[in-house]
Amino acid sequence: MKPKLILIEGLPGSGKTTTAGLIHELLKEMNLSAQLFLEGNADHPADYEGVACFTAAELAEFWNTHAKYKELVSERLITQGDRHFLEYRKIRQELGTDFPDELLAAVSSHDIYELPLEHNRILITERWRRFAADAQHSPDTYIFDCCFIQNPVTVGMIKYGAAKEAVISYVAELAAIAKPLKPLLIYVEQNDLDRSFRKAVHERPKEWSEGFIDYYTNQGYGAQQGYHGLEGTLQVLKARKELEAEIFNSLPIAKHRVDNSALDIDGYKQVLAQILADHFSSV
């Protein structure tokens, strides 16, 4: 069976998004039907982006404090069992200023990636199970950009400073769920983490780098270590790199490390083409 799921991972600035795009191009050149889901896609089939989750008690409390928004919110809630989901980012994009900042702040505090780690893991693994069940009946190959290793590491290590065993276990559970899809993991590397991240900081908007540094140093692992600023963020990234290497080595799935340091797009595409040929040759 050919891989039905290709997972692109790597540190910020390594070229994950470029790699995911090239993989998508190559699959189309091979006349294979594929769907690409980049980081931040609000329609991601196995992840949540800009989605809040309320228990019945939390929703009742929310109505008590934000009664004036009940009509606006209640008709857009998605109820699954005893949980209520609100795709607030998509709704904000749809409604603009009719979805006020006050409401955005209130619902985003219930974002699935703001929940305690154990609750986040329950919701994410449930989402992956539904995706895996559906994807087995689809003719498509799915390409996921950085939601397999990066998200558990980010919420576990970076946000909460969780023990590495908890993070490794989280990713291992996702791998077990995805096993029927014969996942292929491609981990993108740069030989100089310092240079590649500084390059990303230079090229991306200031708001991105400021938010990234704040996230990495003012909570979880970074705060535990007393790290600050850009230099502190680089120290956290080095620790993240070590953890992700341990995760990569432990995963019992098809996997490849690819070096994107040369930034030679044609040569890099050839490397990726060979990997795909090796795994799709029987198709």
Side-chain angles (χ1 to χ4, degrees):
M1 175 181 170
K2 68 183 178 68
K4 292 185 66 64
L5 176 61
I6 300 177
L7 304 160
I8 312 298
E9 295 289 338
L11 296 180
S14 61
K16 297 187 300 296
T17 300
T18 297
T19 302
L22 289 172
I23 292 291
H24 193 217
E25 287 180 20
L26 286 163
L27 290 177
K28 289 193 293 184
E29 290 171 9
M30 297 167 69
N31 295 317
L32 296 172
S33 179
Q35 296 189 47
L36 170 62
F37 293 92
L38 298 176
E39 182 178 13
N41 189 323
D43 293 314
H44 200 292
D47 197 23
Y48 290 105
E49 180 66 32
V51 179
C53 179
F54 300 84
T55 64
E58 289 169 341
L59 189 59
E61 177 61 26
F62 187 82
W63 297 145
N64 286 338
T65 54
H66 299 88
K68 61 183 176 180
Y69 298 122
K70 187 169 184 178
E71 181 177 352
L72 175 63
V73 171
S74 60
E75 63 184 16
R76 292 174 168 83
L77 284 172
I78 301 169
T79 299
Q80 295 178 1
D82 59 352
R83 302 189 189 101
H84 306 275
F85 296 86
L86 185 71
E87 297 176 325
Y88 67 86
R89 182 165 297 178
K90 290 174 69 174
I91 298 169
R92 176 64 182 261
Q93 292 173 349
E94 172 195 342
L95 299 180
T97 55
D98 288 336
F99 193 87
D101 291 342
E102 176 190 10
L103 178 58
L104 178 65
V107 298
S108 62
S109 66
H110 291 269
D111 189 287
I112 288 167
Y113 280 99
E114 294 297 323
L115 299 178
L117 179 58
E118 61 272 21
H119 296 165
N120 168 272
R121 178 171 172 172
I122 289 169
L123 292 172
I124 295 298
T125 52
E126 286 179 357
R127 180 86 162 169
W128 273 74
R129 286 188 181 92
R130 289 194 294 271
F131 160 71
D134 292 340
Q136 290 184 68
H137 305 291
S138 169
D140 295 343
T141 296
Y142 295 82
I143 306 163
F144 287 176
D145 171 28
C146 70
C147 72
F148 173 61
I149 293 178
Q150 175 176 284
N151 286 359
V153 169
T154 299
V155 72
M157 173 190 176
I158 309 302
K159 183 173 180 60
Y160 290 116
K164 73 174 184 179
E165 292 78 10
V167 181
I168 293 171
S169 171
Y170 190 163
V171 181
E173 184 174 6
L174 296 181
I177 293 168
K179 184 178 179 179
L181 304 179
K182 302 296 182 184
L184 168 62
L185 170 60
I186 297 177
Y187 194 93
V188 187
E189 297 183 309
Q190 297 267 347
N191 59 21
D192 189 336
L193 168 59
D194 189 290
R195 182 184 66 82
S196 61
F197 183 68
R198 291 181 190 275
K199 181 174 182 291
V201 168
H202 176 73
E203 293 176 347
R204 299 182 186 185
K206 184 178 180 181
E207 293 77 13
W208 178 86
S209 60
E210 289 178 345
F212 192 99
I213 290 169
D214 176 69
Y215 194 92
Y216 266 60
T217 58
N218 289 331
Q219 60 182 345
Y221 180 85
Q224 290 170 356
Q225 301 299 317
Y227 291 142
H228 301 284
L230 176 59
E231 300 306 321
T233 301
L234 283 165
Q235 293 303 313
V236 179
L237 282 169
K238 290 174 183 176
R240 173 182 160 183
K241 181 178 181 180
E242 292 177 1
L243 176 56
E244 293 195 0
E246 185 171 349
I247 291 171
F248 179 92
N249 291 333
S250 71
L251 289 169
I253 63 176
K255 56 194 175 184
H256 296 267
R257 296 181 183 274
V258 291
D259 189 340
N260 189 34
S261 302
L263 300 177
D264 171 13
I265 197 71
D266 292 330
Y268 187 57
K269 187 175 181 180
Q270 290 179 16
V271 170
L272 297 174
Q274 185 58 58
I275 291 173
L276 294 181
D278 291 342
H279 289 275
F280 288 84
S281 58
S282 61
V283 178

